[in-house]
Amino acid sequence: MIMAPPTPVLSRDNAQFLIKKKHISLTDISPETLKKENCKLKSLTQYECSYDYKNDNIICLPFKRLFKTCQSLDNFHQLVEVTNNSTNH
Amino acid sequence: MFLRNPYLKSSIKGAGIFISWIPVVLVIDKYFYSVSSVSGSSMQPALNPFLTRKDWIFVNKLSLNDLNNIKVDDVLLIRSPTNPSKIVIKRVKGVQGDVIRTRYPYLRNRCTIPKNHLWLEGDNIRSIDSNTYGPVSTGLVIGRAEKIIYPFDRFGDIPQGGREARLSKLRAIG
Amino acid sequence: MTNLNSSFSVGMGIITWSLRFGCFLHLFMDEIYEFTETSGESMTPTLQPNGDYAHVLKRYKYGKDLKVGDVIVAVKPTEPHHRVCKRITGLPGDMILIDPSMGSDLNSFDKIGYNGNDKDKDKDKKIGGDKEFDEKLNEYIEYIEKTDKQDIQDKETFKKLELKEYNENKYNSMNRYIIVPEGHCWLTGDNLSQSLDSRSYRPVPMGLIKGKIIAANLIFEPFIKIDEDDKLNVYGFRWIKNNFEDEIYSIE
């Protein structure tokens, strides 16, 4: 269902391509790189909950998402997501 | 001590009563009927045909409770999808289920309007409207502009305008 | 005669004062603060499925002063008479993944795929063999040039990268980014497995945001209780906090 406005989906490579000029990596989150990029690493944790029938309660496992907020990002791009497969093991 | 002054006392009482009616006026303006000026040229020539003078319109906010009352060619006030602090005025050119033949700069040349959404266009071909931001949720609708109340020489219904955008109607014409 | 007159005016007085007070209350709840019931599993464990009542501040209406990580009340885009509680996980200009949790076993919700179409999974993946794909590619480039206000110098590289992704990782949830458009926000329920949110209905215009949830009371909790920190807790009160925080990166 197309809701407004039509926003295309970008692959990680292309998203990286777009912010290449700002020299910010969507994959490298080591402290050295962060310092060089003048970025901070931030996280937001949400959950995946399922119902435990045996004990009649809800079990929620945390799901973390990682983002970079950077000085060099201008008003248009404020933060970029860097969550990857190892973020939640 | 100064409250013993009878004139002051009745003035304060009067002011209190006046103030107590303000919420009622605000509620009427917000949910029932309102008056507004139009800025910009996106609805030319129907509204603001000469930019030197702003049109004033009468807005009905009541009928919007049942959103099925919205019809093609209604002129609506909505909260802008690209800037929520701005209220813009556009004409309905399609309702839920309609397939629209879109215009530049919309990326696809067809668009099916989802449930409870509207396709809005300014009468002026250069307006920023659904062709830029896509179908608009009826949750953003503030009211329907029903009459021009000023200037007096154009007092009355808002003139018709805009193009036919619905594919089904366009095919019927051809 | 005077009795009738005076009871009439008393009656009218009651009616008009109720009207004035009712309007005042209505405006107060719309523009300043509202205490309202919430229900549903989309925000567990932050908000319980039943019995949680939210304290909503309306000064954050239409997205004013809102930040990523805030919990808000918004009108559902497809059902303007329904309201939903979600967390903001993206603001205009942010470059975020559509759904990094997709593909997780715990995720029971059907999300819209790349083309919104399951049969595309088995599509032939030859280079240059897909006309619809080529059209989509041209769309991206146009869209990005328009919204990002930069020219894509090397369109060929851009196309090659996209094709590589298309062939290798089409449904990899860690590889599908979106840029939140102007005036819109990305909403996600805290319970990723049971929430219908921006992952399905895409970015939501901030004009649909009604307020920010700053606290909640769970009425099933006892009226007065001493909690773990030896503090007095009334009806399960807790602050609903913004959880967008600094991450201390630890080397494993």
Side-chain angles (χ1 to χ4, degrees), chain B residues 15-108:
Chain B
I17 295 198
F18 178 77
I19 289 173
S20 71
W21 281 99
I22 290 178
V24 180
V25 174
L26 291 176
V27 164
I28 291 175
D29 177 85
K30 194 169 185 208
Y31 297 105
F32 292 79
Y33 301 104
S34 179
V35 156
S36 175
S37 72
V38 180
S39 32
S41 53
S42 69
M43 283 298 291
Q44 284 181 338
L47 293 172
N48 278 7
F50 313 109
L51 278 182
T52 46
R53 224 172 26 173
K54 281 190 191 177
D55 286 353
W56 281 79
I57 48 171
F58 174 76
V59 180
N60 181 343
K61 300 185 177 182
L62 196 57
S63 59
L64 283 321
N65 268 332
D66 178 6
L67 297 164
N68 288 322
N69 274 337
I70 299 178
K71 306 220 165 7
V72 168
D73 287 333
D74 280 352
V75 176
L76 300 181
L77 267 68
I78 61 158
R79 200 160 279 283
S80 167
T82 50
N83 183 348
S85 46
K86 261 176 56 178
I87 295 178
V88 296
I89 185 165
K90 303 283 175 241
R91 199 184 289 270
V92 178
K93 283 300 174 186
V95 296
Q96 73 188 22
D98 286 343
V99 178
I100 299 289
R101 163 101 76 78
T102 61
R103 260 189 186 154
Y104 181 85
Y106 202 75
L107 289 179
R108 297 214 164 89

Side-chain angles (χ1 to χ4, degrees), chain C residues 212-232:
Chain C
K212 174 173 159 181
I213 298 181
I214 54 163
N217 273 103
L218 191 56
I219 56 163
F220 297 144
E221 291 285 305
F223 173 49
I224 297 222
K225 168 176 102 167
I226 310 288
D227 66 19
E228 303 93 42
D229 306 320
D230 282 341
K231 287 214 202 86
L232 191 69

Side-chain angles (χ1 to χ4, degrees), chain C residues 142 193 243 252:
Chain C
E142 254 190 73
S193 333
N243 65 355
E252 284 154 40

Side-chain angles (χ1 to χ4, degrees), chain B residues 20 30-31 81 115-116 137-138, chain C residues 20 30-31 77-80 184:
Chain B
S20 71
K30 194 169 185 208
Y31 297 105
K115 185 170 180 212
N116 279 319
S137 169
T138 46
Chain C
R20 285 177 263 180
D30 239 17
E31 305 288 333
T78 47
E79 303 286 347
H184 289 64

